Amino acid sequence: MLDSKRHILLTGATGFVGTGIARRIEKDCNFKLRVIVRRNVEFSSETEVIFADSFADDIAIPNVLKHVDVLIHSAARVHVMKDDASDPLAEYRKANVESTLKLAKMAANAGVRRFIFISSIKVNGEATTDGQKYTAGDKPAPVDAYGISKMEAEQGLLEIASKTNMDVVIIRPVLVYGPGVKANFHNMMRWLNKQIPLPFGAIHNQRSILSLDNLVDLVIVCIDHPNASNQIFLASDGLDISTSELLKGISKSLNKPSLLIPIPEGIIIFLASLVGRASFATRLCGSLQVDISKTQNLLNWTPPVKTGDALKNTAEHYLKNISS
């Protein structure tokens, strides 16, 4: 007999964002969770785990989609600083566009009601200036291959929605952080915990950031909310801070003094370019702000976790697992 709970299918369940979504559904929500994974990861005993190497399996995937009410697609070829692929755009399109759209078409054919797509603020662009914030209605202006692939996937999904009974919800997060975060955010915590002096004491930019808990909460809201249908939502904590303020907040959460040296932005970017890190330095020094008023008003949603609390949780997790 089919479980009376509604069925949610989650892709990318072993990734940083996907893991957060899976844990929240397992813990708090009245849904039956089904996940597609490529490797063995421990989930709740009630979660149905299905192993698949590709979303393009014309035999296996339609069976996986049976009885699914909502599909949350967080799997992707993620953005990397140094992509060694000979044709990065082709690789991103293969994973983020072709696979996504094929999965969406199979989902629509299987009767899935809603397809929630975790996109990226990179669809809007790389930076904002003069206090101007990105909005969900802006004309897309992606710069790199990853952003282009996410834009093309969004466009294809909305076209599928216009021709089928399946609606689409697109969420564009900014930088996501939280317990277990990797890459540059993890590196910043490591540097600050080791009390390495950093040259970011005079950065007066403004950046929107997003805790994993807030992103997951928004995804959960979008599962059922009628106003989410065929909409694009930007997501952040709702608080914009400078890089200097962010580093000070992380240091405080680590119980360490912040050793930030006030060096002019231009010098930082120049020195970083000498070691091949100009793009990273530019992001740290530049602004990227988003306007989440549409998300808040249309969904009656407010980010439930404050940035300070989220930073504290992130730092505490890092300290507990620092030797691992």
Side-chain angles (χ1 to χ4, degrees), residues 151-171:
M151 177 192 69
E152 291 176 350
E154 288 185 8
Q155 293 171 340
L157 287 171
L158 291 172
E159 182 178 357
I160 291 171
S162 70
K163 298 178 180 178
T164 68
N165 292 323
M166 182 180 74
D167 65 34
V168 167
V169 181
I170 294 167
I171 299 174

Side-chain angles (χ1 to χ4, degrees), residues 228-249:
S229 178
N230 299 323
Q231 295 291 334
I232 297 172
F233 298 110
L234 305 192
S236 80
D237 286 344
L239 174 69
D240 298 342
I241 59 177
S242 70
T243 296
S244 298
E245 291 170 330
L246 174 61
L247 294 172
K248 289 176 182 177

Side-chain angles (χ1 to χ4, degrees), residues 103-153:
L103 177 63
K105 290 174 183 177
M106 287 190 285
N109 290 335
V112 172
R113 173 178 64 85
R114 175 165 289 178
F115 190 107
I116 300 176
F117 180 58
I118 309 300
S119 187
S120 169
I121 196 58
K122 282 180 169 287
V123 173
N124 285 75
E126 293 290 332
T128 54
T129 58
D130 301 325
Q132 298 296 314
K133 297 185 178 184
Y134 285 138
T135 72
D138 289 342
K139 182 179 179 180
V143 174
D144 64 8
Y146 174 73
I148 292 170
S149 71
K150 285 291 192 177
M151 177 192 69
E152 291 176 350

Side-chain angles (χ1 to χ4, degrees), residues 90-104:
E91 293 300 318
Y92 279 117
R93 279 176 168 155
K94 181 179 179 181
N96 297 345
V97 183
E98 295 173 17
S99 291
T100 296
L101 299 185
K102 185 159 189 177
L103 177 63

Side-chain angles (χ1 to χ4, degrees), residues 287-304:
S287 293
L288 194 159
Q289 297 176 268
V290 300
D291 179 352
I292 63 169
S293 59
K294 174 186 175 181
T295 309
Q296 293 175 298
N297 296 335
L298 203 60
L299 301 178
N300 193 27
W301 177 79
T302 299

Side-chain angles (χ1 to χ4, degrees), residues 230-275:
N230 299 323
Q231 295 291 334
I232 297 172
F233 298 110
L234 305 192
S236 80
D237 286 344
L239 174 69
D240 298 342
I241 59 177
S242 70
T243 296
S244 298
E245 291 170 330
L246 174 61
L247 294 172
K248 289 176 182 177
I250 296 173
S251 293
K252 181 180 179 181
S253 298
L254 292 168
N255 296 313
K256 294 291 176 65
S258 56
L259 305 178
L260 302 180
I261 304 170
I263 295 178
E265 173 185 330
I267 295 177
I268 293 173
I269 295 175
F270 171 73
L271 293 176
S273 67
L274 297 179
V275 293

